[in-house]
Amino acid sequence: MSEVIIRPARPTDAPVLAALDILAGGGVYEFIYDDRPGEPGAAQLMLQAVLSADTALSWNRVLIAELDGNPAGAVTNQPYDAQPPSGLEASVPADRAAHVAPIQAMGRPGSWFINMLAVGAMASGHGIGRGLIEAVADKARGEGFAELSLRVFADNAPAIGLYRKTGFETVASVEIPHHPRLPREGGVLLMVREL
Ligand SMILES: CC(C)(COP(=O)(O)OP(=O)(O)OC[C@H]1O[C@@H](n2cnc3c(N)ncnc32)[C@H](O)[C@@H]1OP(=O)(O)O)[C@@H](O)C(=O)NCCC(=O)NCCS
Protein backbone atom coordinates (compact mmCIF):
# COMPACT_ATOMS: atom_id res chain seq x y z
CA MET A 1 0.00 0.00 0.00
CA SER A 2 1.38 3.44 -0.95
CA GLU A 3 2.19 5.87 1.84
CA VAL A 4 2.08 9.65 1.45
CA ILE A 5 3.78 11.96 3.93
CA ILE A 6 3.97 15.74 3.81
CA ARG A 7 7.12 17.42 5.12
CA PRO A 8 9.02 20.72 4.82
CA ALA A 9 11.33 20.82 1.80
CA ARG A 10 15.13 20.64 2.07
CA PRO A 11 17.80 22.22 -0.15
CA THR A 12 18.49 18.79 -1.65
CA ASP A 13 14.92 18.81 -3.04
CA ALA A 14 15.79 21.80 -5.26
CA PRO A 15 16.12 19.98 -8.61
CA VAL A 16 12.73 18.27 -8.17
CA LEU A 17 11.18 21.51 -6.96
CA ALA A 18 12.50 23.48 -9.92
CA ALA A 19 10.97 20.95 -12.30
CA LEU A 20 7.62 21.12 -10.46
CA ASP A 21 7.73 24.94 -10.55
CA ILE A 22 8.21 24.86 -14.31
CA LEU A 23 5.36 22.31 -14.64
CA ALA A 24 3.03 24.44 -12.51
CA GLY A 25 3.87 27.53 -14.56
CA GLY A 26 2.09 26.00 -17.53
CA GLY A 27 4.53 27.47 -20.06
CA VAL A 28 4.82 30.96 -18.62
CA TYR A 29 8.44 30.61 -17.45
CA GLU A 30 9.59 29.25 -20.80
CA PHE A 31 7.70 32.11 -22.49
CA ILE A 32 9.48 34.72 -20.39
CA TYR A 33 13.00 33.31 -20.03
CA ASP A 34 13.77 30.87 -22.84
CA ASP A 35 15.04 31.88 -26.29
CA ARG A 36 17.13 34.83 -25.10
CA PRO A 37 20.49 34.41 -26.84
CA GLY A 38 23.38 34.44 -24.36
CA GLU A 39 21.05 34.55 -21.32
CA PRO A 40 20.15 31.74 -18.91
CA GLY A 41 16.92 29.89 -19.65
CA ALA A 42 13.91 29.14 -17.46
CA ALA A 43 15.23 25.87 -16.02
CA GLN A 44 18.55 27.36 -14.93
CA LEU A 45 16.99 30.50 -13.43
CA MET A 46 14.37 28.45 -11.62
CA LEU A 47 16.97 26.19 -10.02
CA GLN A 48 18.87 29.25 -8.75
CA ALA A 49 15.65 30.81 -7.39
CA VAL A 50 14.68 27.61 -5.58
CA LEU A 51 18.15 27.07 -4.12
CA SER A 52 18.34 30.59 -2.69
CA ALA A 53 17.00 31.07 0.84
CA ASP A 54 15.76 34.58 0.06
CA THR A 55 13.37 34.27 -2.89
CA ALA A 56 9.60 33.79 -3.08
CA LEU A 57 10.19 30.42 -4.77
CA SER A 58 12.81 29.26 -2.25
CA TRP A 59 12.85 25.68 -1.01
CA ASN A 60 12.24 27.08 2.48
CA ARG A 61 8.66 28.12 1.58
CA VAL A 62 7.73 24.67 0.30
CA LEU A 63 5.90 21.61 1.59
CA ILE A 64 6.79 18.37 -0.18
CA ALA A 65 4.57 15.32 -0.56
CA GLU A 66 6.55 12.09 -0.57
CA LEU A 67 5.04 8.96 -2.04
CA ASP A 68 6.77 5.83 -0.76
CA GLY A 69 9.81 7.91 0.16
CA ASN A 70 10.14 9.84 -3.11
CA PRO A 71 9.15 13.49 -3.72
CA ALA A 72 5.92 13.37 -5.74
CA GLY A 73 4.46 16.84 -5.36
CA ALA A 74 5.04 20.22 -3.77
CA VAL A 75 3.43 23.51 -2.83
CA THR A 76 5.18 26.87 -2.38
CA ASN A 77 3.24 29.12 -0.01
CA GLN A 78 3.60 32.28 2.09
CA PRO A 79 1.80 35.51 3.03
CA TYR A 80 0.86 37.34 -0.18
CA ASP A 81 1.93 40.70 1.22
CA ALA A 82 5.32 39.59 2.53
CA GLN A 83 6.85 37.88 -0.48
CA PRO A 84 10.47 38.62 -1.28
CA PRO A 85 11.45 39.03 -4.95
CA SER A 86 10.86 35.93 -7.06
CA GLY A 87 14.55 35.45 -7.71
CA LEU A 88 13.77 35.18 -11.42
CA GLU A 89 14.38 38.84 -12.18
CA ALA A 90 16.42 39.14 -15.32
CA SER A 91 16.41 41.30 -18.38
CA VAL A 92 13.55 40.07 -20.53
CA PRO A 93 12.24 41.51 -23.78
CA ALA A 94 9.80 44.32 -23.01
CA ASP A 95 6.97 42.73 -24.97
CA ARG A 96 7.21 39.53 -22.90
CA ALA A 97 7.19 41.46 -19.62
CA ALA A 98 4.17 43.47 -20.77
CA HIS A 99 2.39 40.30 -21.89
CA VAL A 100 2.48 38.70 -18.42
CA ALA A 101 2.32 41.87 -16.29
CA PRO A 102 -1.49 41.63 -15.86
CA ILE A 103 -1.06 38.19 -14.29
CA GLN A 104 1.45 39.40 -11.74
CA ALA A 105 -0.65 42.47 -10.95
CA MET A 106 -3.65 40.35 -9.88
CA GLY A 107 -3.55 39.29 -6.22
CA ARG A 108 -5.37 39.15 -2.91
CA PRO A 109 -3.84 41.41 -0.23
CA GLY A 110 -4.12 39.95 3.26
CA SER A 111 -4.28 36.34 2.07
CA TRP A 112 -1.91 33.38 2.40
CA PHE A 113 -0.72 32.80 -1.17
CA ILE A 114 0.01 29.57 -3.03
CA ASN A 115 2.72 30.46 -5.55
CA MET A 116 3.08 26.94 -6.94
CA LEU A 117 1.36 23.58 -6.65
CA ALA A 118 2.25 20.56 -8.72
CA VAL A 119 2.14 16.78 -8.55
CA GLY A 120 4.26 14.68 -10.88
CA ALA A 121 2.29 12.93 -13.62
CA MET A 122 3.05 9.47 -12.26
CA ALA A 123 1.56 10.36 -8.85
CA SER A 124 -1.39 12.41 -10.06
CA GLY A 125 -4.97 11.41 -9.24
CA HIS A 126 -4.27 9.90 -5.80
CA GLY A 127 -5.26 12.79 -3.56
CA ILE A 128 -1.77 14.28 -3.20
CA GLY A 129 -2.78 17.71 -4.54
CA ARG A 130 -5.74 17.78 -2.16
CA GLY A 131 -3.48 16.73 0.74
CA LEU A 132 -0.99 19.52 -0.03
CA ILE A 133 -3.75 22.13 -0.14
CA GLU A 134 -5.16 20.98 3.21
CA ALA A 135 -1.66 21.08 4.72
CA VAL A 136 -1.28 24.68 3.53
CA ALA A 137 -4.74 25.53 4.87
CA ASP A 138 -3.78 24.19 8.32
CA LYS A 139 -0.52 26.14 8.24
CA ALA A 140 -2.17 29.42 7.16
CA ARG A 141 -4.92 29.04 9.75
CA GLY A 142 -2.28 28.46 12.41
CA GLU A 143 -0.58 31.68 11.33
CA GLY A 144 -3.86 33.56 11.85
CA PHE A 145 -4.83 34.01 8.19
CA ALA A 146 -8.47 33.93 7.04
CA GLU A 147 -8.01 33.32 3.28
CA LEU A 148 -5.92 31.30 0.84
CA SER A 149 -5.38 32.65 -2.67
CA LEU A 150 -3.81 31.45 -5.90
CA ARG A 151 -3.70 32.16 -9.63
CA VAL A 152 -4.48 29.57 -12.29
CA PHE A 153 -4.79 29.52 -16.07
CA ALA A 154 -8.49 29.39 -16.94
CA ASP A 155 -7.89 26.43 -19.29
CA ASN A 156 -6.22 24.28 -16.58
CA ALA A 157 -9.22 22.03 -15.94
CA PRO A 158 -7.51 19.53 -13.59
CA ALA A 159 -6.20 22.28 -11.32
CA ILE A 160 -9.49 24.21 -11.31
CA GLY A 161 -11.30 20.93 -10.53
CA LEU A 162 -9.03 20.44 -7.52
CA TYR A 163 -9.41 24.03 -6.34
CA ARG A 164 -13.21 23.97 -6.59
CA LYS A 165 -13.30 20.65 -4.73
CA THR A 166 -11.21 22.14 -1.92
CA GLY A 167 -13.37 25.24 -1.52
CA PHE A 168 -11.83 27.89 -3.78
CA GLU A 169 -13.97 30.34 -5.73
CA THR A 170 -13.00 32.65 -8.56
CA VAL A 171 -12.91 36.28 -7.44
CA ALA A 172 -11.19 37.96 -10.41
CA SER A 173 -9.82 37.18 -13.85
CA VAL A 174 -7.58 38.76 -16.42
CA GLU A 175 -7.38 38.25 -20.17
CA ILE A 176 -4.03 37.34 -21.70
CA PRO A 177 -3.79 37.93 -25.45
CA HIS A 178 -3.01 34.82 -27.47
CA HIS A 179 0.69 34.42 -28.21
CA PRO A 180 2.23 31.59 -30.25
CA ARG A 181 4.85 31.04 -27.51
CA LEU A 182 2.23 30.99 -24.74
CA PRO A 183 -0.75 29.20 -26.27
CA ARG A 184 -3.15 29.34 -23.30
CA GLU A 185 -6.84 30.17 -23.69
CA GLY A 186 -9.20 32.14 -21.46
CA GLY A 187 -6.75 34.15 -19.38
CA VAL A 188 -5.91 33.68 -15.72
CA LEU A 189 -8.19 33.36 -12.68
CA LEU A 190 -7.61 34.56 -9.13
CA MET A 191 -9.19 32.03 -6.76
CA VAL A 192 -9.76 32.44 -3.01
CA ARG A 193 -10.76 30.05 -0.22
CA GLU A 194 -11.94 31.06 3.22
CA LEU A 195 -10.23 29.30 6.11
C1 LIG B 1 -3.60 19.92 -10.70
C2 LIG B 1 -2.81 18.89 -9.92
C3 LIG B 1 -1.99 19.62 -8.84
C4 LIG B 1 -3.80 17.95 -9.22
O1 LIG B 1 -3.10 17.12 -8.30
P1 LIG B 1 -3.58 15.64 -8.01
O2 LIG B 1 -2.74 15.09 -6.92
O3 LIG B 1 -3.60 14.88 -9.28
O4 LIG B 1 -5.07 15.89 -7.52
P2 LIG B 1 -5.92 14.99 -6.50
O5 LIG B 1 -5.69 13.55 -6.80
O6 LIG B 1 -5.64 15.46 -5.12
O7 LIG B 1 -7.41 15.36 -6.94
C5 LIG B 1 -8.30 16.03 -6.07
C6 LIG B 1 -9.47 16.56 -6.88
O8 LIG B 1 -9.00 17.41 -7.94
C7 LIG B 1 -9.84 17.27 -9.09
N1 LIG B 1 -9.05 16.76 -10.22
C8 LIG B 1 -7.86 16.14 -10.18
N2 LIG B 1 -7.45 15.84 -11.42
C9 LIG B 1 -8.42 16.26 -12.25
C10 LIG B 1 -8.60 16.23 -13.65
N3 LIG B 1 -7.67 15.69 -14.46
N4 LIG B 1 -9.71 16.79 -14.18
C11 LIG B 1 -10.66 17.33 -13.38
N5 LIG B 1 -10.54 17.39 -12.03
C12 LIG B 1 -9.44 16.85 -11.48
C13 LIG B 1 -10.91 16.29 -8.71
O9 LIG B 1 -12.01 17.02 -8.23
C14 LIG B 1 -10.28 15.49 -7.59
O10 LIG B 1 -11.23 15.04 -6.70
P3 LIG B 1 -11.80 13.52 -6.83
O11 LIG B 1 -10.60 12.62 -6.78
O12 LIG B 1 -12.69 13.41 -5.65
O13 LIG B 1 -12.50 13.46 -8.14
C15 LIG B 1 -1.90 18.04 -10.84
O14 LIG B 1 -2.68 17.51 -11.88
C16 LIG B 1 -0.76 18.83 -11.45
O15 LIG B 1 0.28 18.98 -10.82
N6 LIG B 1 -0.91 19.31 -12.70
C17 LIG B 1 0.19 19.99 -13.40
C18 LIG B 1 0.67 21.25 -12.70
C19 LIG B 1 -0.45 22.24 -12.50
O16 LIG B 1 -1.27 22.48 -13.39
N7 LIG B 1 -0.47 22.84 -11.29
C20 LIG B 1 -1.44 23.86 -10.94
C21 LIG B 1 -0.98 25.19 -11.41
S1 LIG B 1 -2.07 26.51 -10.89
Side-chain angles (χ1 to χ4, degrees):
M1 169 133 168
S2 296
E3 188 195 5
V4 177
I5 63 154
I6 294 180
R7 62 162 173 83
R10 303 185 277 259
T12 48
D13 296 314
V16 173
L17 285 179
L20 291 171
D21 272 295
I22 297 276
L23 175 67
V28 76
Y29 296 117
E30 295 93 325
F31 170 77
I32 301 173
Y33 299 111
D34 283 350
D35 297 323
R36 296 177 305 143
E39 300 285 341
Q44 186 181 339
L45 286 170
M46 186 60 78
L47 186 57
Q48 288 168 4
V50 171
L51 273 169
S52 165
D54 305 318
T55 67
L57 296 174
S58 170
W59 61 271
N60 65 16
R61 289 144 205 274
V62 176
L63 293 175
I64 292 255
E66 274 186 7
L67 179 64
D68 296 333
N70 298 307
V75 60
T76 306
N77 63 110
Q78 59 206 295
Y80 177 78
D81 300 317
Q83 298 176 77
S86 72
L88 293 165
E89 284 72 20
S91 62
V92 297
D95 59 329
R96 297 190 197 178
H99 199 81
V100 297
I103 306 176
Q104 285 152 354
M106 184 173 60
R108 185 79 158 183
S111 67
W112 189 272
F113 183 56
I114 293 179
N115 302 69
M116 175 282 271
L117 171 72
V119 176
M122 300 292 284
S124 190
H126 293 96
I128 294 176
R130 186 196 302 264
L132 285 166
I133 286 189
E134 294 308 332
V136 170
D138 288 348
K139 183 174 168 187
R141 225 180 269 117
E143 297 282 341
F145 282 72
E147 286 182 337
L148 291 181
S149 68
L150 55 81
R151 294 185 284 242
V152 58
F153 278 114
D155 61 2
N156 189 345
I160 291 172
L162 168 63
Y163 300 147
R164 291 218 177 102
K165 205 89 182 235
T166 52
F168 286 84
E169 289 179 5
T170 302
V171 297
S173 64
V174 67
E175 285 297 324
I176 305 298
H178 184 83
H179 192 290
R181 293 188 60 251
L182 187 59
R184 310 290 316 215
E185 303 297 336
V188 174
L189 310 180
L190 175 65
M191 301 188 80
V192 168
R193 165 182 167 174
E194 286 181 22
L195 293 170

